Amino acid sequence: MAVTCQVLRGLPRALAPCLLPCQQQLHSGSVCHKSPPKCTSRGYQTSSVLRSYILTPPQVNSILKANEYSFKVPEFDGKNVSAVAGFESNQLPANAPIEDRRSVATCLQTRGMLLGVFDGHAGCACAQALSERLFYYIAVSLLPHDTLCEMEAAVEAGRALSPILQWHKHPNDYFSREAQTLYFNSLRTYWQELIDLTSPGEVPDTHEALLNAFKRLDNDLSLEAQVGDPNAFLHYWVLRVAFSGATACVAHIDGPDLFIANSGDARAMLGVQEEDGSFSAHTLSNDHNHPASERKTVIRQDRLLGLLMPFRAFGDVKFKWSIELQKRVLESGPDQLHENEHTKFIPPNYHTPPYLTAEPEITYHRLRPQDRFMVIGSDGLWETLHRQEVVRIVGEYLTGVHQRQPLKVGGFKVTLGQMQGFLEERKARLSSAFEDQNSATHLMRHAVGNNEFGTVDHERLSKMLSLPEELARMYRDDITIIITQFNPHVIGAQQQEGES
């Protein structure tokens, strides 16, 4: 909270609320439900006034660092040597409140670590639910039959359950207390079914566990919305979750085994260090699309039914339920939903739902010593930086070795004086590259402030960060980044063990 106060003190009073994440604007029990505070337009009515306000470097740093988080993993955690050295993450809002979410947790009943980015749309409710629930579904799916039986016996006897996950959360990352009983009951029903479907001694397959967890949680989101809840707040909340939507990109790392489960347009990328010290990008997730035979009616203007950009997502029951079911659920729902134009709108050419699925695409990669880090980012990152630029920026930051590329001026006519200025700026950039103590913050600075020459332009960065709420989303999306660093010597030793 001290960081937040620092941000507020350094900004115009009208601008400060727009830069805070959802949970800082709303008190417990009203997450994402109220309209975000509206920034006054005074001082931003003309472009000349907007250009005249430049944030100082300390003010820029306060904004960029407000949501940064880092965690170092003990090399030996008591069970196994860790291939993960640690991770660093950050978020920068464009929407008010921010619609992205992030989660990282260590699996306590099994081995491995989970890292995920969730990009919400039509509100933050679905992304919020995923950030709290999806890892539990994955963790339960990975548990052996006997452990599931022990958990069920403990609940039946009224004993406390052993923790399943150890969360690594920023203080701003919200957990909704009001929905925990609902969430637990749905999760318990899931593990009861897993007990019936598995046999003693059976070891779960990670690929299948990820697939089943994604599909089951999306099914539960839909079912909870259809059933409703006697509690008025929870009834409204489950409908908000179902009628909004979110994409998810999740990594599960256990030793050298890396699985990526991706549903939507967030991406995961490996930074691979080549023999000459440079870094190359290895894509771990793919963009999703619909069959070419459906393009004339299903895909319009590169969007699902002309409306939705991602082609796989959680929630979004407007693209999954029949029109009759949507009308029945909404008629029995709270009055607040009747005022929401999004929930009432029926997409054109809506004939044979579902048009959307949360089923993830799952990729496997066995880590190698040259795989130095992984970047998971919401589409707000990849819309601003090419993947090769992302791994170069992060690789140079982590190693301190800068690959001096030929200075590119992109076809612009440049005077000798301007060229000298560019070279001096590059020299200054090398000396100030480590002003950020967090690699995700460093990457975010480039994503927002890079100019056409690939260098951070403070004036551009300042203007982008000082845009009022009603303009910010026109220039960029929410950005969420998780950068995971690997232990190459541990991975190398594990590789040798596998070969022997």
Side-chain angles (χ1 to χ4, degrees):
M1 288 302 179
V3 176
T4 303
C5 295
Q6 187 179 4
V7 175
L8 293 173
R9 283 197 297 270
L11 296 179
R13 185 174 299 172
L15 174 63
C18 304
L19 298 174
L20 301 181
C22 172
Q23 60 278 11
Q24 290 180 339
Q25 296 176 6
L26 305 174
H27 57 74
S28 175
S30 59
V31 173
C32 310
H33 293 174
K34 296 182 181 178
S35 298
K38 296 294 181 184
C39 296
T40 80
S41 58
R42 286 180 299 182
Y44 299 104
Q45 292 176 350
T46 65
S47 58
S48 61
V49 175
L50 179 60
R51 283 198 299 269
S52 69
Y53 186 79
I54 301 296
L55 298 169
T56 65
Q59 290 170 337
V60 167
N61 286 340
S62 293
I63 295 169
L64 289 178
K65 297 179 180 184
N67 297 306
E68 67 179 14
Y69 183 81
S70 62
F71 179 78
K72 299 300 180 186
V73 178
E75 188 166 313
F76 184 75
D77 62 6
K79 290 187 296 185
N80 59 297
V81 178
S82 175
V84 176
F87 75 90
E88 296 175 327
S89 70
N90 205 344
Q91 291 187 296
L92 183 67
N95 294 289
I98 185 172
E99 294 181 343
D100 280 7
R101 293 293 185 273
R102 59 183 165 176
S103 291
V104 180
T106 301
C107 297
L108 297 177
Q109 299 289 334
T110 57
R111 301 189 311 180
M113 197 167 191
L114 290 164
L115 309 96
V117 167
F118 313 101
D119 186 350
H121 46 263
C124 61
C126 189
Q128 177 65 41
L130 295 189
S131 71
E132 297 183 48
R133 304 181 68 180
L134 183 56
F135 284 9
Y136 279 114
Y137 278 69
I138 295 172
V140 164
S141 301
L142 289 168
L143 292 177
H145 177 89
D146 293 345
T147 305
L148 292 171
C149 291
E150 291 170 6
M151 288 172 54
E152 179 60 22
V155 175
E156 286 283 351
R159 299 194 305 270
L161 284 173
S162 298
I164 299 175
L165 296 172
Q166 176 190 355
W167 292 96
H168 309 295
K169 289 279 191 181
H170 188 281
N172 292 343
D173 294 340
Y174 184 84
F175 263 85
S176 55
R177 301 180 188 90
E178 299 81 5
Q180 291 306 308
T181 300
L182 171 69
Y183 293 171
F184 177 80
N185 290 338
S186 294
L187 182 67
R188 183 186 179 190
T189 301
Y190 178 44
W191 85 50
Q192 288 172 335
E193 294 182 15
L194 287 175
I195 290 173
D196 293 337
L197 294 171
T198 57
S199 305
E202 189 175 337
V203 179
D205 175 74
T206 304
H207 184 286
E208 287 300 311
L210 290 166
L211 185 70
N212 293 336
F214 270 61
K215 292 166 64 176
R216 177 54 181 251
L217 177 55
D218 190 52
N219 183 72
D220 282 354
L221 299 182
S222 175
L223 185 61
E224 289 162 3
Q226 293 177 52
V227 173
D229 195 280
N231 179 295
F233 169 78
L234 287 179
H235 191 183
Y236 180 55
W237 175 248
V238 295
L239 289 171
R240 283 291 305 276
V241 169
F243 276 89
S244 62
T247 65
C249 186
V250 173
H252 179 267
I253 308 169
D254 181 7
D257 297 318
L258 168 61
F259 285 88
I260 300 291
N262 186 46
S263 180
D265 52 9
R267 296 183 192 174
M269 201 77 59
L270 269 182
V272 181
Q273 191 165 30
E274 305 297 341
E275 291 184 1
D276 64 358
S278 65
F279 286 87
S280 61
H282 177 83
T283 303
L284 293 170
S285 59
N286 298 308
D287 293 336
H288 303 131
N289 218 324
H290 277 265
S293 59
E294 296 182 276
R295 283 191 173 274
K296 290 186 178 180
T297 57
V298 174
I299 311 301
R300 300 174 68 87
Q301 299 176 326
D302 293 327
R303 291 175 178 262
L304 178 61
L305 299 179
L307 297 170
L308 190 64
M309 184 67 79
F311 296 143
R312 300 192 194 192
F314 286 82
D316 282 321
V317 294
K318 289 199 67 61
F319 298 90
K320 297 173 181 176
W321 289 356
S322 67
I323 294 175
E324 293 74 18
L325 178 57
Q326 291 186 44
K327 288 181 177 179
R328 178 175 64 79
V329 170
L330 288 174
E331 285 171 1
S332 62
D335 293 338
Q336 298 100 308
L337 282 176
H338 301 161
E339 303 165 6
N340 189 322
E341 293 299 322
H342 169 74
T343 58
K344 292 188 291 186
F345 179 73
I346 302 296
N349 300 304
Y350 197 80
H351 305 304
T352 58
Y355 290 96
L356 195 64
T357 178
E359 180 173 330
E361 178 184 42
I362 298 173
T363 55
Y364 171 76
H365 177 82
R366 185 173 178 85
L367 291 171
R368 307 159 298 175
Q370 62 265 38
D371 298 330
R372 303 305 297 270
F373 61 87
M374 174 180 66
V375 180
I376 306 177
S378 59
D379 62 341
L381 170 65
W382 309 108
E383 288 169 357
T384 58
L385 290 175
H386 186 270
R387 62 178 186 172
Q388 187 56 47
E389 187 73 355
V390 167
V391 299
R392 182 191 67 79
I393 292 168
V394 176
E396 290 182 355
Y397 174 86
L398 294 177
T399 62
V401 177
H402 294 263
Q403 302 294 321
R404 296 207 177 194
Q405 307 292 331
L407 185 63
K408 297 178 182 178
V409 293
F412 294 91
K413 292 183 178 179
V414 180
T415 66
L416 196 59
Q418 288 172 321
M419 180 65 75
Q420 182 181 359
F422 293 144
L423 292 172
E424 289 176 351
E425 182 181 347
R426 168 185 274 190
K427 183 178 179 181
R429 178 162 57 97
L430 293 179
S431 64
S432 64
F434 296 99
E435 63 181 346
D436 293 316
Q437 303 301 311
N438 182 298
S439 57
T441 304
H442 184 70
L443 180 57
M444 191 172 289
R445 188 183 299 273
H446 279 267
V448 180
N450 261 20
N451 57 22
E452 60 268 31
F453 306 110
T455 62
V456 175
D457 182 328
H458 174 73
E459 185 174 348
R460 172 184 171 83
L461 181 60
S462 173
K463 286 180 178 179
M464 291 293 286
L465 293 178
S466 61
L467 286 172
E469 170 191 335
E470 58 269 21
L471 290 180
R473 187 59 184 87
M474 297 171 60
Y475 287 87
R476 62 175 181 83
D477 199 355
D478 298 330
I479 299 175
T480 297
I481 300 168
I482 301 176
I483 298 176
T484 307
Q485 299 173 47
F486 299 115
N487 277 321
H489 62 284
V490 172
I491 294 171
Q494 292 171 333
Q495 187 179 61
Q496 291 179 350
E497 288 177 8
E499 293 172 354
S500 60

